[in-house]
Amino acid sequence: MKKNKVILFDWGNIVESHTTDYNVYDAYNFLFKEFGCDIDDKINLGKYQLSSISSMEEYEKTFEEIREEYHLQCDFKTFLERYDYYFEKISSYYEVRDFEVSLRDKCFIGILSNLAIVDKKRLDAQVGLDNYDYVFLSFELGCQKPDSKIYDIVSEKLPFESKDILFIDDSLKNIEEAKRHGWNTLLATGLELDKIKQVCEEFLE
C-alpha cells in the first residue's frame, strides 16, 4: 500500500492521562507540597511556558523563578529526581498508543506535542518514539501550540499537502489553529478511542 497521508497525535490526554484519579495536576501538587508549597489549588505554571524552553540551562534558570514564587525548599537536582518519581506514576491509555502504532501499515504517523525537555524520557517510555515517522516536540522547536509558528514549522517539514494531514488533540485552541492551516482535525481525548478509530479510518479511505 502506498502511504500518502500522515496522522499527527498529541500526547497529553491522548496517551498520557490528564483525567484519571492520579494525573499531571496531582503530580505537580504532590511534588510542590513535598518541598514546602502550601497552595491548595492546582499549580499553574502556564506563564513560564516550560514547553518552549530548549535547554536544561534555561530550564534551570526558570526553575529558580518557580522556586521563589512557590517557596520551594529544594535544589534543582533534587527537584528533577522527585519530578520523575511523581510523574512516572501517571497512567496512560496504552490502547490508544497501540492503535497509533498499528496505523503505520496504512499511513505515516507522528507526534505533535507541547513537551518540556524534562518530559521527553517519559514520553519515549510510554510510546516508543522510534515507532513514529515524525516527532515534533515544542521544546525542540522553540514554540508551543497554539502559536501559529509551530504549525508553520510542521507544515514546512512535512512532505504532505495540508489536506493529507490529520491532527488529533484534546485542546480546542490547538485544533482551531490547525484548521486555519488547512489540516484535517479531531478534538478528542484518550477516553474516546472508538471516535479516534472512526475518524482515522474515514481519513484514510
Side-chain angles (χ1 to χ4, degrees):
M1 175 183 291
K2 182 179 180 181
K3 299 191 293 185
N4 54 11
K5 295 184 177 183
V6 61
I7 301 178
L8 301 175
F9 296 89
D10 183 29
W11 175 51
N13 215 23
I14 299 295
V15 172
E16 180 172 86
S17 171
H18 287 182
T19 55
T20 51
D21 291 339
Y22 184 87
N23 55 53
V24 63
Y25 308 106
D26 298 314
Y28 267 120
N29 283 348
F30 280 117
L31 175 65
F32 276 49
K33 285 182 178 180
E34 176 176 329
F35 295 124
C37 177
D38 59 1
I39 293 178
D40 292 328
D41 295 331
K42 290 180 180 178
I43 304 299
N44 185 357
L45 304 179
K47 69 179 181 181
Y48 293 104
Q49 294 200 317
L50 297 176
S51 297
S52 62
I53 296 176
S54 58
S55 71
M56 285 301 290
E57 291 77 15
E58 185 180 355
Y59 196 95
E60 183 173 2
K61 290 178 182 178
T62 304
F63 163 75
E64 294 300 332
E65 297 178 31
I66 295 171
R67 180 168 67 172
E68 182 176 349
E69 177 180 354
Y70 289 96
H71 309 291
L72 302 181
Q73 306 301 310
C74 65
D75 60 21
F76 185 54
K77 180 181 178 181
T78 304
F79 179 84
L80 291 181
E81 290 172 352
R82 299 304 287 169
Y83 183 97
D84 287 343
Y85 171 79
Y86 285 113
F87 278 76
E88 286 173 355
K89 293 182 176 184
I90 299 172
S91 60
S92 299
Y93 304 121
Y94 287 114
E95 297 88 351
V96 179
R97 185 272 318 273
D98 293 344
F99 171 69
E100 292 177 10
V101 175
S102 75
L103 291 170
R104 288 194 75 178
D105 292 335
K106 303 177 181 179
C107 66
F108 294 95
I109 60 171
I111 292 176
L112 171 54
S113 179
N114 285 349
L115 192 79
I117 191 170
V118 295
D119 294 319
K120 186 174 183 179
K121 180 176 67 175
R122 188 169 86 257
L123 167 62
D124 191 20
Q126 287 183 9
V127 304
L129 291 175
D130 288 343
N131 290 316
Y132 294 80
D133 301 292
Y134 300 97
V135 177
F136 300 108
L137 306 178
S138 59
F139 81 88
E140 294 179 337
L141 301 178
C143 52
Q144 60 187 43
K145 301 173 296 184
D147 186 342
S148 178
K149 182 179 178 182
I150 195 169
Y151 298 90
D152 291 337
I153 293 172
V154 173
S155 294
E156 185 175 317
K157 289 181 177 291
L158 288 175
F160 305 97
E161 295 183 30
S162 56
K163 66 180 180 64
D164 294 322
I165 301 171
L166 171 62
F167 177 48
I168 300 173
D169 195 289
D170 69 310
S171 165
L172 181 58
K173 289 183 179 180
N174 296 344
I175 288 295
E176 288 175 340
E177 188 58 41
K179 285 181 179 178
R180 281 191 279 271
H181 282 71
W183 299 3
N184 298 281
T185 61
L186 171 62
L187 180 66
T189 75
L191 293 171
E192 300 174 286
L193 179 55
D194 288 342
K195 179 180 176 181
I196 292 172
K197 286 182 176 180
Q198 179 181 347
V199 172
C200 288
E201 290 167 1
E202 292 173 353
F203 171 69
L204 294 174
E205 285 181 355

